[in-house]
């Protein structure tokens, strides 16, 4: 896809959202079924993922770790956003690798230490790009990728989560 094709694809959508702002408000959903042992089966829309305990918390490593899945979502979103931005601003990417690493102190999630946080202490997102882009283009690409990546913005900005529990 080139910049013109991307613009042709997105222009009517953008116009609709300008004219009808409410049409841009979409609720994304995910669902999981609590499974056998300590697991939860999540349908990603493409495959069924069975998530469980990380080996650092007693898992056997055979089930997906939700922390890994969060980093994978960040990598996927950042990669797609980067490619879309590059296309839109006319930067040719010959190839690229997106990596995410996150540091966890498992004492927090296991309740071993109240001083240890539950969750990622730090996440590092890196891009290894093969491109002839100038430093100015690369700066623009980085700025716009960070600005428009949904997962990046959600993690970096924090989001209020409303929780409810129902008994069946």
């Amino acid at each position: 896809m080139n910049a013109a094709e991307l613009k042709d694809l997105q222009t009517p959508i953008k116009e609709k959202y300008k004219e009808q702002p409410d049409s841009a408000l979409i609720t994304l959903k995910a669902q999981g079924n609590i499974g056998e042992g300590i697991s939860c089966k999540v349908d990603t829309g493409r495959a069924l993922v069975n998530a469980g305990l990380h080996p650092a918390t007693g898992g056997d490593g055979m089930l997906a770790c939700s922390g890994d899945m969060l980093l994978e979502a960040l990598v996927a979103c950042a990669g797609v956003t980067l490619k879309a931005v590059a296309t839109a601003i006319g930067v040719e990417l010959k190839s690229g690798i997106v990596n995410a690493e996150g540091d966890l102190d498992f004492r927090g999630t296991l309740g071993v230490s109240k001083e240890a946080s539950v969750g990622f202490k730090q996440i590092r997102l890196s891009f290894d790009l093969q491109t002839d882009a100038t430093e100015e283009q690369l700066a623009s690409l980085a700025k716009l990728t960070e600005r428009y990546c949904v997962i990046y913005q959600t993690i970096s900005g924090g989001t209020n989560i409303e929780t409810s529990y129902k008994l069946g």
Side-chain angles (χ1 to χ4, degrees):
M1 181 176 297
N2 62 36
E5 291 169 331
L6 181 62
K7 186 175 182 178
D8 288 346
L9 179 69
Q10 291 182 338
T11 295
I13 297 169
K14 289 178 179 182
E15 288 174 3
K16 177 182 176 185
Y17 293 164
K18 284 179 185 174
E19 294 170 10
Q20 303 169 26
D22 288 347
S23 70
L25 302 176
I26 308 292
T27 300
L28 302 180
K29 298 179 181 182
Q31 182 175 355
N33 292 315
I34 296 173
E36 294 181 29
I38 300 177
S39 69
C40 182
K41 294 179 182 179
V42 179
D43 185 352
T44 67
R46 299 286 179 251
L48 190 64
V49 176
N50 203 3
L53 292 173
H54 186 277
T57 61
D60 61 10
M62 298 303 294
L63 302 176
C65 165
S66 54
D68 289 333
M69 293 169 65
L70 176 72
L71 295 177
E72 290 162 357
L74 175 59
V75 164
C77 188
V80 169
T81 304
L82 176 95
K83 183 64 176 172
V85 168
T87 301
I89 66 174
V91 171
E92 181 187 350
L93 293 178
K94 296 172 186 166
S95 66
I97 298 172
V98 183
N99 289 295
E101 297 178 341
D103 301 326
L104 290 165
D105 183 341
F106 282 99
R107 294 175 306 158
T109 194
L110 288 175
V112 172
S113 170
K114 290 184 180 185
E115 288 76 39
S117 64
V118 176
F120 286 100
K121 289 179 148 192
Q122 181 180 22
I123 295 175
R124 293 171 299 285
L125 182 63
S126 64
F127 300 85
D128 182 8
L129 306 175
Q130 300 300 314
T131 180
D132 294 329
T134 65
E135 288 297 321
E136 184 178 301
Q137 288 174 314
L138 188 57
S140 180
L141 186 61
K143 177 183 171 187
L144 294 172
T145 297
E146 292 172 14
R147 179 177 178 186
Y148 294 117
C149 176
V150 171
I151 304 299
Y152 180 95
Q153 286 297 323
T154 301
I155 293 171
S156 66
T159 299
N160 293 327
I161 299 176
E162 184 179 309
T163 307
S164 65
Y165 294 84
K166 296 177 185 173
L167 297 176

